[in-house]
Amino acid sequence: MKNILDKELLKYYIDKYKVYEIFHEDIIDEVILCFYEIEETILEPESNLQYYYLLVDGKIKVNYLFENGKSRLLKFYNAFITIGDLELLKDLPVRCQVEVVEESYFILVPVSLIKEKYTHLNFFRHLAESLSDKLDATINNSSYNSTYPLINRLSSYLLEYLKPDKDYIVLRNPFKDIAEFLGTTYRHLNRTLNELEEKQIIKSNQNKIYVLNEEALRDLSKKSYMRSLL
């Protein structure tokens, strides 16, 4: 994490996402703009939430960690999204691990400042809308997992990692974890990857997946899975 002291950039993000409609000026004056690199961890489970996070540029993923040390990928998020709604509202420890997928900028709002000064109705409306949107997206993705074949679910997963200026994807999660996230077995995942290769849609080389036909991959994804909250 690196603090960014560029006030013009901070103002740009505040204006772009109308942060002033969520927080009063006295709180906006105290926020911090931070930059996170790829694979950097933002939040760890069971830690205390010290900041309320506003993702204003980039992409993150949320993992749920189990007591046995295993983890499950729950969701991808693009800007604009807020992190820490439930923990802030219910005064709970952090529930999930949050990691950066693409280089990202966050506006950090001190939780202590929110608790000390905040009674602004717009903020509580924002919390309600944010939690509602996340619940809706979770239901959408869960329904997709139980409805569509693996080839559709896998196509959507791959597209989440595809950057606009690249024709390949580097999978940073083990295939076993990807299979668990997609609700399938390791063998079925491998068979489906082979099927996509046979259709000349992708070409795999260990953890690097080359996209040979992005249009076909998007058609298979149904353009709905893992939808971002914008």
Side-chain angles (χ1 to χ4, degrees):
M1 181 189 80
K2 181 170 68 175
N3 286 3
I4 305 298
L5 303 179
D6 187 336
K7 292 184 178 180
E8 288 301 316
L9 184 59
L10 174 59
K11 184 178 183 304
Y12 166 77
Y13 287 129
I14 288 173
D15 291 341
K16 180 177 181 179
Y17 296 109
K18 299 180 180 179
V19 178
Y20 48 78
E21 292 185 356
I22 303 173
F23 295 104
H24 280 150
E25 187 175 343
D26 58 344
I27 287 186
I28 289 179
D29 288 343
E30 302 293 331
V31 302
I32 305 166
L33 180 64
C34 292
F35 172 79
Y36 288 82
E37 296 182 352
I38 296 174
E39 295 188 341
E40 193 168 353
T41 298
I42 302 165
L43 290 173
E44 291 280 8
E46 300 305 319
S47 61
N48 292 323
L49 186 71
Q50 297 185 8
Y51 294 98
Y52 187 61
Y53 293 78
L54 285 67
L55 174 62
V56 292
D57 201 351
K59 186 174 187 176
I60 61 172
K61 64 179 179 180
V62 179
N63 297 293
Y64 185 83
L65 302 186
F66 296 95
E67 292 181 357
N68 61 6
K70 293 184 178 181
S71 65
R72 180 162 186 175
L73 176 59
L74 296 180
K75 196 77 178 67
F76 293 94
Y77 290 110
N78 296 319
F80 174 71
I81 190 73
T82 55
I83 303 297
D85 306 304
L86 185 62
E87 290 85 351
L88 179 63
L89 191 62
K90 301 289 289 182
D91 199 21
L92 295 170
V94 174
R95 307 296 295 275
C96 297
Q97 183 182 59
V98 182
E99 296 180 4
V100 173
V101 175
E102 299 175 359
E103 292 183 345
S104 300
Y105 286 89
F106 281 85
I107 292 176
L108 276 57
V109 186
V111 168
S112 58
L113 190 63
I114 296 174
K115 291 182 177 180
E116 176 188 345
K117 296 188 175 183
Y118 226 70
T119 57
H120 190 18
L121 180 60
N122 282 357
F123 177 64
F124 294 108
R125 183 181 293 113
H126 156 76
L127 279 180
E129 290 176 352
S130 177
L131 288 168
S132 297
D133 285 343
K134 288 170 184 172
L135 176 60
D136 179 60
T138 300
I139 292 171
N140 176 78
N141 294 343
S142 178
S143 300
Y144 189 102
N145 250 354
S146 62
T147 303
Y148 286 95
L150 179 60
I151 193 168
N152 302 123
R153 308 198 307 269
L154 177 58
S155 298
S156 297
Y157 181 90
L158 294 176
L159 283 171
E160 285 292 338
Y161 281 99
L162 183 63
K163 296 181 180 180
D165 58 341
K166 302 288 185 182
D167 63 353
Y168 65 87
I169 303 151
V170 177
L171 298 178
R172 296 186 171 87
N173 293 308
F175 275 23
K176 184 178 178 181
D177 292 348
I178 295 172
E180 183 180 348
F181 172 61
L182 295 174
T184 189
T185 63
Y186 179 84
R187 288 183 179 180
H188 193 186
L189 177 63
N190 275 332
R191 286 198 299 269
T192 307
L193 283 168
N194 289 336
E195 183 181 348
L196 288 172
E197 284 203 60
E198 290 170 4
K199 294 176 182 290
Q200 296 187 329
I201 295 174
I202 66 167
K203 180 176 178 57
S204 12
N205 181 8
Q206 295 181 337
N207 70 328
K208 184 176 280 189
I209 308 292
Y210 291 91
V211 178
L212 307 179
N213 190 336
E214 184 179 340
E215 183 179 354
L217 194 66
R218 291 194 179 279
D219 285 341
L220 283 170
S221 76
K222 305 299 182 182
K223 303 181 178 64
S224 62
Y225 188 47
M226 290 183 182
R227 65 180 179 80
S228 300
L229 298 178
L230 300 177

